């Protein structure tokens, strides 16, 4: 299954989550050590969203513990972690 991929601001990502558009979340390891990107998937439209920094078009990264806290604050109870192969 191929997905259309969009980079959005944090505010837009939260709005999409709160309106029920995204239902699957993946923390994907970035090229930076111990940092992860967040991907939200909208299965009905086969669309994936990730958060970019507001001022630049670079993906936002988190430490996994901070990302987990951010997701918990948004009431996300289930998410996957994908690590890059060593």
């Amino acid at each position: 299954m191929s997905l259309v991929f969009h980079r959005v601001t944090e505010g837009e990502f939260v709005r999409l989550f709160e309106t029920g558009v995204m239902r699957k979340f993946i923390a994907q390891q970035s090229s930076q050590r111990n940092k992860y990107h967040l991907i939200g998937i909208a299965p009905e439209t086969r669309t994936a969203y990730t958060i970019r920094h507001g001022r630049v078009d670079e993906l936002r990264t988190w430490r996994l513990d901070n990302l987990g806290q951010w997701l918990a604050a948004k009431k996300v109870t289930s998410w996957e972690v994908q690590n890059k192969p060593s």
Side-chain angles (χ1 to χ4, degrees):
M1 163 164 86
S2 63
L3 297 172
V4 176
F5 197 82
H6 295 284
R7 294 178 180 204
V8 297
T9 62
E10 184 176 332
E12 179 67 3
F13 191 92
V14 170
R15 187 192 69 76
L16 290 165
F17 163 69
E18 289 176 345
T19 58
V21 171
M22 293 183 291
R23 293 192 310 215
K24 181 176 181 181
F25 300 91
I26 300 169
Q28 186 176 53
Q29 190 175 25
S30 75
S31 58
Q32 298 176 18
R33 187 169 185 239
N34 297 324
K35 296 286 186 160
Y36 291 80
H37 305 292
L38 179 61
I39 300 169
I41 299 177
E44 289 81 18
T45 59
R46 296 171 49 186
T47 305
Y49 299 92
T50 190
I51 300 174
R52 67 174 173 84
H53 286 285
R55 287 174 243 122
V56 294
D57 193 25
E58 294 176 6
L59 297 182
R60 179 162 177 201
T61 59
W62 285 271
R63 285 189 349 223
L64 198 53
D65 59 334
N66 290 336
L67 179 55
Q69 290 174 1
W70 189 85
L71 288 167
K74 305 291 183 239
K75 308 289 192 258
V76 175
T77 58
S78 177
W79 45 287
E80 297 177 19
V81 176
Q82 293 181 354
N83 290 313
K84 289 189 175 189
S86 301

